[in-house]
Amino acid sequence: MIDLFVSAFLNLMTVSNILLMLVGIVVGIIFGAIPGLSSSMAIALFLPITFGLSQYAAFALLIALYIGGVSGGLISAILINVPGSAMSIATCYDGHPMAANGRAHRALGTGIVFSFIGTIFGVFVLIFAAPYLADIAVKLGPFEYFTLILFALMLIIGISGADLVKGITAGVLGMATTMVGLAPVDSVKRFTFGSYTLLDGFPLLPLIIGLFAVTSILKTSEKAIGVEDLEHFAYKKEKGWGFTLVEFFKQTKNTIVSAVIGVIIGFLPGMGGTLANQLAYATAQKTSKHPEKFGTGIMDGIVASETSNNASIGGAMIPLLALGIPGDGPTAMLLGAFTIQGLVAGPLLFKTSADLVYLIFAAMLVCSILMIVIEYYGIAFFLQAMKIPKGMLLPIIVMLSSVGAYASGNNMFNLWTVVIFGIVGFVFGKIGFPVAPFILGAVLGPNIESNLRRALQLSRASFMPFITRPVSLILLLLSLAVIISTAMIQRKKHQEEKAAVN
């Protein structure tokens, strides 16, 4: 193994490869930071370029785009409260409130450092545990996947608000949005009303952009224009990363738990950082000694989200390299790169092209270092966005969000999706419905439905395997425990509030 690593680093550390990785990281960060664009899109755009590159150069570039794209999403999530991709949704919950409170430097520094730690953790798990974790992933079926997604949804609902019924309703409504278009498994048309634009349903990225960007604009537009709208968002000038070494070590438990969640969710095909950041955030809040502070700009929330979604990179690479099965969108693009280079991802890759496999490992480590260096020196540049007056910044956000939404599908329906769900988010705020369960329902709806239908096909419409299979049963019991504990906590709060009034 050591010999292969030494050889991989020697092959990787050429002037041309280093320049390609630098370009890849910068471009990836830009694509990750612009709402509607993503690392998947960046890789797709650069795939044709790899035709003329060697195997080593091609994968050095693509890995850089992947790592830069995932980390770049934190920038827009923190500064403008619009996630660059679904992988950074949970970063908005505490990242933007911290920035709005004048601690944008601290929020960015926290996100960047723990993005790096999450990526490194995921890479080391990939290097040393890929074959073993891949074996576990193969043994899991649609029964386990369904109950895992159900557990994640229940956990988010449990921590998302004071009203359990509203939380469950929001989650169900989120899943209902995925019922539009062609059904999974049998491709039956549903709720398309004869419109071909609805065959693919509501696109996810425009939906998320609408819920964050347009909702924020609508909330702001309620207030009368004043002098404060001509002023910029204030922020405090800070040194280093914006947090102390003591604060860093206080996040040790949160970091480890979030990184483990990221890797585990990452190596489950079809899950990836989209679920990992939400589940890690919910876990951090559920186990925190001060859960009421989450959503107000607490460091713990940023740590959980950014550690987990970046750790999922290493996790998603496990099924790709060990089984030839992509773990998420970017790794699906990387699978295309293997085909372009005349390679077949899977178990034989470790024997036939071990030098390339270890070069990918080395590239992930080097790109992680390049990412943290570039983003650290970019903090001062990122903060310049905070100097733009609010009255100018908000229209710019709308413009960038609209461009990103249109670019994700190249059609006007995406822009209508942004507007529709912006209004939905605004109405939710008025009636007290939490947005987080709605988003997670929309994100996980296709997976939860397809896995349920496959499971029932395998069991011939019997629900018994959900109970007789150990992993599935444990996850169902955990889901039930979350709902019961949440209901009891909320009942106790209501009783205390009632007693206080009396």
Side-chain angles (χ1 to χ4, degrees):
M1 179 184 287
I2 295 175
D3 292 342
L4 286 169
F5 256 120
V6 172
S7 177
F9 275 106
L10 290 175
N11 289 324
L12 182 67
M13 301 306 288
T14 63
V15 174
S16 59
N17 286 344
I18 292 173
L19 288 174
L20 281 172
M21 287 188 287
L22 282 170
V23 170
I25 290 291
V26 172
V27 172
I29 290 172
I30 293 171
F31 269 72
I34 297 176
L37 304 185
S38 63
S39 53
S40 298
M41 191 178 295
I43 293 172
L45 289 174
F46 276 79
L47 268 180
I49 297 175
T50 62
F51 277 104
L53 298 176
S54 66
Q55 290 181 355
Y56 296 159
F59 283 98
L61 173 61
L62 296 176
I63 292 296
L65 290 166
Y66 187 9
I67 290 176
V70 173
S71 182
L74 70 89
I75 298 169
S76 56
I78 289 171
L79 296 182
I80 62 175
N81 199 32
V82 183
S85 70
M87 290 184 178
S88 300
I89 291 173
T91 306
C92 294
Y93 301 158
D94 280 289
H96 186 68
M98 186 182 288
N101 291 333
R103 305 299 301 275
H105 188 126
R106 174 183 170 87
L108 288 169
T110 301
I112 292 168
V113 169
F114 287 93
S115 289
F116 171 75
I117 293 172
T119 306
I120 293 295
F121 182 91
V123 173
F124 276 105
V125 172
L126 169 65
I127 293 170
F128 295 106
Y132 308 103
L133 291 176
D135 288 341
I136 296 173
V138 170
K139 293 176 183 177
L140 299 179
F143 302 96
E144 289 78 15
Y145 283 124
F146 171 79
T147 50
L148 173 64
I149 298 169
L150 182 66
F151 170 66
L153 191 57
M154 292 302 103
L155 195 58
I156 294 294
I157 289 171
I159 57 94
S160 61
D163 194 324
L164 183 62
V165 175
K166 286 184 177 180
I168 293 174
T169 304
V172 171
L173 289 174
M175 286 191 288
T177 63
T178 67
M179 302 295 176
V180 177
L182 298 178
V185 182
D186 56 14
S187 298
V188 172
K189 294 180 181 178
R190 303 182 301 190
F191 307 110
T192 59
F193 304 102
S195 172
Y196 73 93
T197 56
L198 287 173
L199 288 176
D200 292 329
F202 292 108
L204 180 59
L205 279 175
L207 182 150
I208 293 171
I209 290 170
L211 286 170
F212 281 94
V214 177
T215 299
S216 177
I217 299 298
L218 290 175
K219 286 180 180 178
T220 304
S221 66
E222 283 188 293
K223 304 174 185 177
I225 298 175
V227 176
E228 68 276 3
D229 295 301
L230 301 177
E231 298 174 350
H232 59 76
F233 289 95
Y235 65 89
K236 179 183 177 182
K237 292 184 178 180
E238 300 177 83
K239 295 181 180 180
W241 297 105
F243 56 83
T244 65
L245 203 58
V246 173
E247 290 175 318
F248 174 82
F249 283 111
K250 280 184 179 179
Q251 297 296 328
T252 301
K253 179 183 175 182
N254 186 11
T255 303
I256 294 171
V257 171
S258 300
V260 171
I261 290 173
V263 170
I264 292 174
I265 299 300
F267 86 81
L268 298 176
M271 303 297 171
T274 301
L275 173 60
N277 77 108
Q278 297 265 18
L279 185 56
Y281 184 90
T283 303
Q285 183 173 359
K286 201 75 174 176
T287 58
S288 173
K289 295 179 180 178
H290 37 74
E292 71 284 352
K293 292 184 180 179
F294 278 74
T296 62
I298 189 173
M299 185 176 178
D300 306 46
I302 303 174
V303 170
S305 176
E306 287 304 315
T307 303
S308 59
N309 65 14
N310 283 270
S312 71
I313 295 174
M317 291 292 290
I318 293 171
L320 174 68
L321 296 178
L323 302 172
I325 301 171
D328 59 7
T331 50
M333 297 293 108
L334 290 176
L335 185 61
F338 279 105
T339 303
I340 289 172
Q341 296 294 330
L343 300 168
V344 178
L348 292 177
L349 188 67
F350 286 83
K351 294 182 178 180
T352 59
S353 303
D355 57 333
L356 178 61
V357 172
Y358 278 86
L359 181 127
I360 290 173
F361 295 160
M364 293 180 77
L365 292 173
V366 173
C367 288
S368 299
I369 296 170
L370 292 175
M371 177 266 292
I372 192 172
V373 172
I374 291 171
E375 288 189 337
Y376 173 72
Y377 286 103
I379 288 178
F381 173 75
F382 304 147
L383 289 174
Q384 296 304 308
M386 305 295 285
K387 292 183 178 180
I388 302 174
K390 298 177 189 177
M392 294 175 60
L393 181 60
L394 295 178
I396 291 173
I397 293 172
V398 172
M399 182 193 70
L400 291 175
S401 299
S402 300
V403 170
Y406 182 84
S408 65
N410 293 322
N411 61 67
M412 285 299 297
F413 180 67
N414 285 12
L415 294 179
W416 283 113
T417 301
V418 170
V419 174
I420 290 168
F421 286 98
I423 296 172
V424 168
F426 180 73
V427 173
F428 270 31
K430 288 294 184 183
I431 61 178
F433 271 53
V435 175
F438 182 87
I439 293 173
L440 196 63
V443 169
L444 299 179
N447 279 329
I448 199 168
E449 182 185 1
S450 60
N451 282 299
L452 176 61
R453 296 182 69 169
R454 290 191 182 101
L456 292 176
Q457 284 179 336
L458 289 173
S459 64
R460 296 186 178 182
S462 172
F463 286 91
M464 287 304 296
F466 288 104
I467 300 173
T468 56
R469 294 171 73 103
V471 175
S472 177
L473 177 60
I474 291 170
L475 289 168
L476 283 175
L477 291 174
L478 287 173
S479 300
L480 184 62
V482 168
I483 292 299
I484 292 173
S485 64
T486 301
M488 291 176 66
I489 291 170
Q490 291 182 0
R491 183 182 177 185
K492 184 179 178 181
K493 285 184 178 179
H494 289 318
Q495 289 176 343
E496 289 176 352
E497 290 173 358
K498 189 176 180 181
V501 172
N502 295 333

